[in-house]
Amino acid sequence: MDAGAASWLPLSAGERSVAIEVLVRGPLSRSEIARRLNLSAGSLTRLTKPLLESGLLVEVPDGTLPAEARQGRPSQPLDVVAESRSFLGFKITGDMVYGVVTTLRSEIAARHDRPLSTHEPAEVADLIAEMTVELARDHPGVAGIGIGVGGLVQDRSTVRDGPFLSWRDVPLGSMVEERTGLPVVVENDVEALVEAESWFGSGRGLDRFVILTIGAGIGYGLVLGGKRVPFVGFGPGWVIDRYGPLTPDGVRGSAWSFLTIPGIRYQVQAALGRECSYEEILTMAAAGEPVAARVVAESAWALGTLVAQISNFAQPQKILLAGEGVGLMDVARKTVDEALQVQRHPLAPPVDLEARVSDFHDWARGAAVLAIQVLVLGGVDG
C-alpha cells in the first residue's frame, strides 16, 4: 500500500465522520462541518488536527466555497486533494473484466477492459493483476483495488457464491493481493454501486434511497438513515405473479423471469422459435410485433409492480433503476407508470424513479469507492 495512504489509518469514529463529510460534500467551512455533525468548535479542532497532519485534509482558500456559503469572517475551508491518490476498480462479468482508475473523489481518470476467456479463479486473478500494471503505469500513487462481482461475498474478500462465474468460496481478495502487492476489497457489485451512488451520485444526501438493477440478473440495494442495509439478493423466490412465465429452472412468475434479459429472451425465443437479442426484442416490441410486444408489456407491468412494492414498504425518497436492461423503460415507460399508479395509495406522493442505463465502468467505479471507504477511511457501515 502507498505509504501516504497508510499514514491515514486508523481513523477514530469522529475523525472518520469529519473525513467523510469533507470528502463527499467539500470544500466545507469549519462552521459548516461543525453544524452538520453537531460538534463544538473545540471538538472539531481536535478531530481535524490529525487529518490535516496526515494530509488527508487540506486547507483551501475561502474563495473555493460557493458565494452563499461565504458568510461572516473569512476562514480557511477544508477539502481533500482528489488527485492525491488513485484507486482501481474492477467489475467482473461472465465474459469481461472492466477496469477504471479513479481519484479520491471517484472521478474516473482512465478505463481499460479485457475479455475473460476463462472462469478459472487463478487466471482471472492473473488478468486483474495484468490490468493493474497497465492502469497504474500512467497513474502512479495507486492506493488500493476494489473488485465487484455478482453474487454473495464474505468479509470483503471471499466470493462465497458467484453464479455468473460458477464460483464457490473463491478467496479472490487474497489472490489479487498476492499478485499486485496492493490491498484489495471485494464486494457484491450492486452493494458497491449503492455506495458510489449514495456518496457521489443520485443518492447523495438522501436518507432513504433504493437502487434496483435489471440486466443479466436482478439486484437491489437499500439505504436507510443514510446507511446501506446489507442485502444478499432477490433470489428466485421473489414472485411477482404466481401465474406468470416459467424460468428455465421451472420457477413460475418470479422477478427473474419477468425482468432479466435472459428471462425476457427465453420467453420470446420459445414463442418465435429463433434466437433474438434483447435489443432486437425491444425494437420489435416498439414496432408492435405481437409476441415481443406482449412480453415487454408484461415485463413493464411487473417492473411497475416491483417498484410499487418497494415504495410501499421502504418509502424511499428516490429509486434509481440501473443496469443494462433499463432500455425496457424507453419502450414501455407508460406501462410501468400505470402499474405504479394502480398499486400505490391515491394520495401517496409520486415515486421519484430515475432510469439510467449503466455502463459497466459505473459498476467498476462503485468497486473503487468501496476501496476508498475501506482502505482510506477504515470501513463502511452496514
Side-chain angles (χ1 to χ4, degrees), residues 342-378:
V342 167
Q343 296 170 84
R344 293 273 286 162
H345 191 282
L347 297 181
V351 177
D352 185 358
L353 177 62
E354 177 187 346
R356 188 173 76 214
V357 177
S358 297
D359 186 293
F360 281 122
H361 297 107
D362 293 331
W363 299 71
R365 170 179 172 261
V369 170
L370 257 298
I372 293 168
Q373 292 176 331
V374 173
L375 303 176
V376 176
L377 300 173

Side-chain angles (χ1 to χ4, degrees), residues 1 9-11 16 87 145 155-156 183-187 195 199 228 367-381:
M1 186 174 183
L9 297 173
L11 301 181
R16 181 171 178 269
F87 294 83
I145 297 171
D155 299 327
R156 298 191 178 114
V184 177
V185 176
V186 183
E187 186 55 277
E195 293 290 351
W199 276 29
R228 174 173 56 84
V369 170
L370 257 298
I372 293 168
Q373 292 176 331
V374 173
L375 303 176
V376 176
L377 300 173
V380 294
D381 298 309

Side-chain angles (χ1 to χ4, degrees), residues 100-160:
V100 298
V101 181
T102 79
T103 68
L104 186 55
R105 275 214 168 95
S106 86
E107 297 104 340
I108 295 178
R111 297 170 171 82
H112 183 53
D113 312 328
R114 292 277 293 275
L116 195 61
S117 58
T118 175
H119 290 172
E120 177 61 36
E123 295 189 38
V124 175
D126 288 341
L127 178 60
I128 291 174
E130 292 172 10
M131 294 176 69
T132 296
V133 172
E134 293 166 359
L135 285 166
R137 185 177 296 124
D138 297 324
H139 297 85
V142 172
I145 297 171
I147 303 173
V149 296
L152 183 61
V153 177
Q154 183 178 37
D155 299 327
R156 298 191 178 114
S157 179
T158 300
V159 181
R160 290 295 310 280

Side-chain angles (χ1 to χ4, degrees), residues 221-352:
L222 173 65
V223 171
L224 290 178
K227 297 180 180 179
R228 174 173 56 84
V229 177
F231 190 75
V232 297
F234 274 105
W238 191 289
V239 174
I240 295 177
D241 179 358
R242 63 183 179 143
Y243 302 109
L246 283 168
T247 69
D249 298 326
V251 178
R252 186 173 290 281
S254 70
W256 190 96
S257 61
F258 274 114
L259 296 175
T260 67
I261 290 175
I264 291 171
R265 291 185 66 207
Y266 176 74
Q267 293 179 63
V268 174
Q269 289 173 174
L272 295 181
R274 64 179 180 87
E275 290 281 320
C276 302
S277 70
Y278 183 63
E279 292 72 20
E280 183 183 358
I281 291 169
L282 294 181
T283 299
M284 289 191 297
E289 195 284 323
V291 171
R294 174 184 58 79
V295 171
V296 167
E298 290 175 352
S299 297
W301 188 269
L303 178 57
T305 298
L306 189 55
V307 170
Q309 291 175 352
I310 292 169
S311 300
N312 291 338
F313 284 101
Q315 300 291 312
Q317 295 161 282
K318 187 171 192 175
I319 297 177
L320 173 63
L321 180 65
E324 65 272 30
V326 174
L328 176 70
M329 292 288 285
D330 295 332
V331 177
R333 175 77 191 233
K334 182 179 179 181
T335 302
V336 174
D337 291 339
E338 288 173 353
L340 258 173
Q341 185 176 4
V342 167
Q343 296 170 84
R344 293 273 286 162
H345 191 282
L347 297 181
V351 177
D352 185 358

Side-chain angles (χ1 to χ4, degrees), residues 12-22 28-49 51 57 78:
S12 70
E15 292 165 354
R16 181 171 178 269
S17 295
V18 172
I20 290 173
E21 201 67 31
V22 176
L28 293 172
S29 68
R30 285 172 167 81
S31 60
E32 179 64 10
I33 299 169
R35 184 190 68 79
R36 286 176 175 270
L37 300 178
N38 195 26
L39 294 171
S40 67
S43 295
L44 182 63
T45 298
R46 174 177 56 81
L47 293 172
T48 56
K49 183 178 179 182
L51 299 176
L57 298 187
L78 300 180

